[in-house]
Amino acid sequence: MFKYAKDSQVSITELMLPAHSNFSGKIHGGHILNLMDQIAFACASKHSRHYCVTASVNRVDFLSPIEVGELVTLKASVNYTGRTSMVIGLRVESQNIQTGEIKHCNSSYFTMVAKDENGKNVKVPGLILDDKQSVRRFARSIARQEQSKTRSSRFKSSEFKMEEHIDLIKTQNAKIELFEL
């Protein structure tokens, strides 16, 4: 079975209240992450028609602060489907109600896994790629998976070669003091 991404897309808009803010009046990143997790769940569950859990989050960069009183809109779409997992692309935007200005606040990718009633992984419908954008997003998800595998093995404790990294570390804000035991 295959489905179009547009059939599972989800969007929510929420007013940012003082209760969501930190001491400087900006919205807590944790509150935004919570909303992102909720919409990723909704999108993945809508696509798979199963309960879904978050397996991983691929990088969250907060690009613009969100102010109290702004409307925050989160958009989610299935970018990739594996056998039991899906990569959900998320976009977060804020809008100043008075000026109408819209800011891109962050984008992220949540890997969600579909579960059956017993908590076992369950097969998800494939994705129908119907335009250049959907092909690009799917291919990008595959590339991110490959990069993740390389990153994981390169710095694995048993594989790590310290001498390959010493010169790079010396250019950073760090001081190396190795003590032999």
Side-chain angles (χ1 to χ4, degrees), residues 23 32 36 47 55 61 76 121 123-124 134 155 164 175:
F23 294 113
I32 300 303
M36 292 169 74
H47 182 81
D61 292 323
N121 293 359
K123 190 172 178 357
V124 300
S134 63
F155 291 97
E164 293 177 6
K175 181 179 179 182

Side-chain angles (χ1 to χ4, degrees), residues 115-160:
K115 300 288 186 174
D116 68 12
E117 308 77 37
N118 300 313
K120 303 285 186 208
N121 293 359
V122 61
K123 190 172 178 357
V124 300
L127 198 56
I128 298 170
L129 308 176
D130 60 349
D131 61 13
K132 186 176 180 178
Q133 185 83 320
S134 63
V135 172
R136 183 186 66 79
R137 288 177 174 159
F138 199 94
R140 188 173 181 192
S141 292
I142 294 169
R144 263 195 307 280
Q145 288 174 355
E146 294 303 316
Q147 290 169 349
S148 177
K149 289 176 190 173
T150 302
R151 197 170 43 248
S152 296
S153 63
R154 185 172 171 207
F155 291 97
K156 189 175 178 183
S157 185
S158 61
E159 306 290 321
F160 184 72

Side-chain angles (χ1 to χ4, degrees), residues 50-115:
H50 284 88
Y51 178 79
C52 293
V53 297
T54 306
S56 70
V57 177
N58 184 300
R59 192 173 176 146
V60 178
D61 292 323
F62 293 99
L63 307 172
S64 298
I66 300 171
E67 308 286 339
V68 169
E70 290 185 329
L71 291 175
V72 169
T73 299
L74 296 94
K75 301 172 185 175
S77 185
V78 179
N79 287 1
Y80 171 86
T81 50
R83 197 177 70 73
T84 63
S85 66
M86 297 152 281
V87 173
I88 309 300
L90 300 172
R91 182 176 174 93
V92 180
E93 297 174 338
S94 67
Q95 181 177 22
N96 181 304
I97 295 171
Q98 296 169 321
T99 67
E101 178 191 6
I102 296 174
K103 296 182 295 188
H104 175 214
C105 299
N106 68 45
S107 294
S108 189
Y109 306 95
F110 279 52
T111 299
M112 308 296 288
V113 177
K115 300 288 186 174

